[in-house]
Amino acid sequence: MKANTRITISCTDRVGLVSDISGFLFDIGANLGPTSFALDGDSARFETSCELPEDCPQSECAAGLKELALEKADIQVESIAAAPELTTAPGATHMIECSGIDQPGLIARLSEIFIEYNANIVRMAASATDEKDARIYTTRFAVAIPAERAANCLATLANTAGSMRLLFKFDEL
């Protein structure tokens, strides 16, 4: 999913609130990403990053949400930048991708390997998706690795990714 919209709704709580909001978003064809709902006393807050279909502009989404029976509602529907696609980067020698179940410290552990081999990260992009019962995290690095250290660096990355149960692939540029 490539989220293009953030929807934030603060309003007075009531029974059926989440159902009404999520039902409306389903009806217009929105594809929900990370979503949260919380109560603070009588106030409720619903927030989601989602992908709106091309035939539903944000203004139409906001107008539809305003038609729901929401008391004291503050509704925000705003554009967000999608996670960047990383396909090239000037100065990089390798494109590296690791993906698998999200876990704490994933980027830190992988990026520490580059230090050992005097490799420099030129660009990085990371994104997460929800698939079945797991959150899949994909990290792409465009890296400048010294030629004489590339094979060892890539082998260490592959071993580390394997120990973390991540899929690992790379392309030499």
Side-chain angles (χ1 to χ4, degrees), residues 3-89:
N4 59 16
T5 303
R6 179 180 302 111
I7 299 171
T8 306
I9 302 170
S10 297
C11 63
T12 302
D13 185 37
R14 65 171 171 76
V15 172
L17 182 61
V18 171
S19 179
D20 286 350
I21 295 169
S22 60
F24 168 77
L25 294 172
F26 172 79
D27 289 345
I28 64 169
N31 185 11
L32 301 187
T35 302
S36 65
F37 177 80
L39 291 179
D40 185 10
D42 290 339
S43 296
R45 181 175 174 89
F46 179 96
E47 185 170 352
T48 187
S49 295
C50 64
E51 181 178 8
L52 291 180
E54 288 184 23
D55 64 346
C56 181
Q58 291 175 350
S59 58
E60 185 177 312
C61 176
L65 288 167
K66 289 177 183 172
E67 290 178 11
L68 298 176
L70 306 177
E71 189 177 320
K72 297 182 183 174
D74 177 21
I75 300 170
Q76 306 278 327
V77 179
E78 59 190 349
S79 296
I80 56 174
E85 294 284 331
L86 183 55
T87 55
T88 62

Side-chain angles (χ1 to χ4, degrees), residues 133-152:
D133 294 329
R135 184 153 183 81
I136 304 300
Y137 199 76
T138 302
T139 307
R140 292 174 188 84
F141 296 97
V143 185
I145 307 172
E148 66 278 4
R149 305 190 89 184
N152 291 338

Side-chain angles (χ1 to χ4, degrees), residues 97-100 103 109-110 113 154-169:
E97 181 177 304
C98 296
S99 64
Q103 51 194 289
R109 189 159 173 207
L110 293 171
I113 294 167
L154 294 168
T156 302
L157 282 165
N159 288 336
T160 301
S163 73
M164 297 173 73
R165 295 186 150 162
L166 301 174
L167 297 175
F168 170 82
K169 65 181 182 179

